[in-house]
């Protein structure tokens, strides 16, 4: 069974073909992120326009790379939420049209659930991907950390899960993006902070970890503010000094030390809760998902502190892609999940898990 996955929830336009929920046949991704760099964050109108321009070529690329055609495809899976409204619309309308034109069943995918399913890909002939040998077992604890979400979820089985906790304010990736802006590193902040952190001392500055009543909830806005206060102090200014002018006065060494210290504490925050949940629920496997899951400091801390081994997926499958959507689509087909109506499927920008 082969499923075409389509993903356009944010600034990546992506399509992929996955067979039987484990075999990656192709994954084509185009990002409009370079167009957003000058704005320090995603401009929804630019993202939507860019999806319109590249969605058809990206789907064609997914077919060319897998040497397949429409006759080989059994179903279409598309992200219908959560995400930017204008971006989601392009993927959903394209998928609806293709489902009608080629008479294929259509599956509506929750983007955040999709991220988790990147971990179920175990086989490919594409040499640029390094995949785990086995699929995760249930019960499975998932730490989902992206630009829009930070959640701990316990999966008892496919389509049977409990949300243990989530962020009260910023998502972890969003905190990386905001801290990068404060210290003058380019968007997206995750990759630029982790690269800069390599030159710095992660113990240079003490930064706070948020304490919350709910056991598995997160909060990152206090940490972001603490970084701003630290940067203002480092340049000898008070907290009234405009945040947009701080980065010009920081030295490269100061930037590197702040990046490394922030990254260490931010990752410790989510790793602490993951370890706590591991001990409480004794899952058979732990997976990490979402753009921040590609972070090597997160992987290092987890590997050091978790009593079981995590089989990490390829970093290219952590950030937004069509393969994770196609993989979850395969499991929806296998488990007789409801099919979406291609004439009426609507986007849900605020969809939650
Ligand atoms: O999953 P994703 O591609 O899109 C969303 O669903 O949000 O995640 C994007 C987020 C961005 O905030 C980006 O800064 C972060 O993931 N990210 C990283 C790394 N690579 C991407 N954060 C930390 N370290 C990284 N290496
Ligand atoms: Zn995502």
């Amino acid at each position: 069974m082969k499923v075409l996955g389509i993903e356009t929830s944010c600034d990546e336009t992506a399509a992929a073909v996955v067979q039987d929920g484990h075999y990656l046949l192709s994954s084509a991704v185009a990002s409009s992120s370079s167009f957003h760099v000058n704005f320090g964050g995603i401009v929804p109108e630019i993202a939507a326009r860019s999806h319109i321009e590249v969605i058809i070529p990206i789907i064609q690329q997914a077919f060319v790379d897998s040497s397949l055609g429409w006759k080989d495809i059994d179903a279409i899976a598309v992200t219908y939420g959560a995400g930017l409204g204008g971006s989601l619309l392009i993927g959903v309308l394209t998928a609806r049209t293709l489902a009608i034109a080629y008479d294929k069943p259509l599956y509506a995918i929750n983007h955040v659930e999709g991220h988790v399913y990147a971990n179920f890909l175990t086989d490919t002939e594409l040499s640029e991907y390094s995949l785990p040998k086995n699929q995760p077992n249930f019960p499975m604890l998932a730490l989902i950390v992206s630009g829009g979400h930070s959640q701990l979820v316990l999966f008892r089985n496919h389509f049977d899960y409990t949300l243990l906790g989530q962020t009260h304010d910023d998502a972890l990736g969003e905190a990386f993006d905001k801290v990068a802006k404060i210290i003058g590193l380019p968007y997206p902040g995750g990759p630029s902070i982790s690269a800069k952190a390599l030159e710095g001392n992660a113990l240079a500055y003490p930064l706070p970890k948020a304490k919350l009543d709910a056991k598995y909830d997160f909060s990152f806005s206090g940490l972001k503010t603490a970084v701003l206060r630290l940067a203002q102090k480092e340049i000898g200014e008070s907290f009234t000094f405009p945040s947009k002018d701080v980065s010009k006065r920081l030295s490269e060494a100061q930037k590197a030390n702040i990046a490394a210290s922030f990254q260490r504490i931010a990752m410790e925050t989510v790793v602490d809760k993951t370890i706590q949940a591991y001990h409480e629920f004794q899952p058979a496997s732990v997976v990490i998902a979402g753009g921040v899951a590609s972070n090597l400091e997160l992987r290092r801390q987890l590997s050091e502190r978790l009593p079981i081994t995590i089989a990490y997926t390829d970093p290219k499958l952590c950030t937004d892609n069509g393969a994770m959507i196609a993989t979850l689509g395969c499991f929806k087909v296998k488990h007789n999940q409801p099919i979406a109506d291609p004439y009426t499927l609507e986007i849900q920008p605020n969809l939650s898990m």
Side-chain angles (χ1 to χ4, degrees):
M1 175 241 304
K2 298 184 189 74
V3 174
L4 170 72
I6 298 175
E7 155 64 41
T8 63
S9 67
C10 196
D11 58 345
E12 267 93 25
T13 316
V17 184
V18 170
Q19 185 176 339
D20 300 331
H22 67 93
Y23 196 92
L24 177 64
L25 293 165
S26 66
S27 179
V29 182
S31 176
S32 61
S33 88
S34 62
F35 299 120
H36 307 290
V37 166
N38 293 340
F39 303 95
I42 292 171
V43 183
E45 292 79 1
I46 295 179
R49 170 166 292 257
S50 163
H51 287 309
I52 295 175
E53 286 168 2
V54 299
I55 183 88
I56 298 299
I58 280 291
I59 292 171
Q60 281 167 339
Q61 191 65 48
F63 277 126
V64 169
D65 293 348
S66 59
S67 309
L68 296 171
W70 277 107
K71 64 176 186 343
D72 306 304
I73 296 297
D74 298 288
I76 300 173
V78 65
T79 302
Y80 77 116
L84 300 169
S87 289
L88 288 166
L89 265 178
I90 312 303
V92 167
L93 288 175
T94 305
R96 283 172 54 177
T97 309
L98 294 171
I100 295 166
Y102 292 98
D103 195 20
K104 305 286 179 187
L106 179 65
Y107 289 86
I109 304 289
N110 177 322
H111 178 79
V112 183
E113 276 179 39
H115 268 300
V116 174
Y117 277 78
N119 291 291
F120 283 82
L121 288 163
T122 52
D123 302 282
T124 188
E125 271 162 37
L126 305 169
S127 57
E128 64 273 32
Y129 288 91
S130 132
L131 301 178
K133 287 202 173 56
N134 300 304
Q135 292 191 327
N137 294 314
F138 295 105
M140 168 181 83
L141 178 65
L143 171 67
I144 307 164
V145 275
S146 71
H149 301 269
S150 302
Q151 298 175 328
L152 262 172
V153 183
L154 185 67
F155 284 76
R156 272 170 238 92
N157 208 328
H158 297 291
F159 313 109
D160 175 12
Y161 59 75
T162 305
L163 179 64
L164 301 179
Q166 59 189 328
T167 182
H168 286 202
D169 37 60
D170 293 345
L172 183 53
E174 195 180 352
F176 269 80
D177 296 335
K178 289 178 176 173
V179 164
K181 206 168 178 179
I182 293 171
I183 64 174
L185 299 177
Y187 173 86
S192 57
I193 286 189
S194 57
K196 194 73 184 170
L198 294 174
E199 306 158 23
N201 173 6
L203 299 171
Y205 304 111
L207 285 164
K209 277 190 217 170
K211 292 203 170 50
L212 299 168
D213 290 338
K215 230 179 184 176
Y216 297 119
D217 280 357
F218 306 108
S219 165
F220 298 105
S221 74
L223 175 58
K224 172 197 67 194
T225 308
V227 168
L228 174 60
R229 299 287 173 260
L230 165 66
Q232 288 163 327
K233 194 164 148 243
E234 282 296 296
I235 59 168
E237 297 286 352
S238 78
F239 69 91
T240 56
F241 189 79
S243 63
K244 65 176 181 22
D245 298 325
V246 168
S247 67
K248 295 174 214 145
R249 305 243 314 258
L250 287 169
S251 69
E252 291 306 309
Q254 284 170 321
K255 288 182 184 183
N257 285 341
I258 294 175
S261 301
F262 161 75
Q263 177 174 255
R264 178 178 66 86
I265 288 291
M267 295 315 182
E268 258 180 49
T269 308
V270 292
V271 172
D272 285 351
K273 306 240 165 173
T274 308
I275 303 291
Q276 206 181 339
Y278 175 80
H279 288 297
E280 179 169 344
F281 300 103
Q282 299 286 323
S285 63
V286 178
V287 297
I288 57 173
V292 186
S294 55
N295 185 280
L296 296 181
E297 172 64 12
L298 174 61
R299 293 177 176 210
R300 186 191 67 75
Q301 287 191 21
L302 273 175
S303 300
E304 204 173 276
R305 293 178 56 195
L306 259 188
I308 54 167
T309 311
I310 297 194
Y312 299 104
T313 192
D314 195 287
K316 291 188 287 302
L317 296 172
C318 293
T319 44
D320 291 349
N321 63 83
M324 66 192 201
I325 304 304
T327 306
L328 178 48
C330 290
F331 283 98
K332 289 215 170 194
V333 176
K334 258 190 199 172
H335 291 255
N336 297 316
Q337 293 293 301
I339 295 173
D341 182 345
Y343 289 94
T344 59
L345 177 65
E346 297 282 352
I347 59 163
Q348 287 197 32
N350 299 318
L351 184 67
S352 57
M353 277 194 84

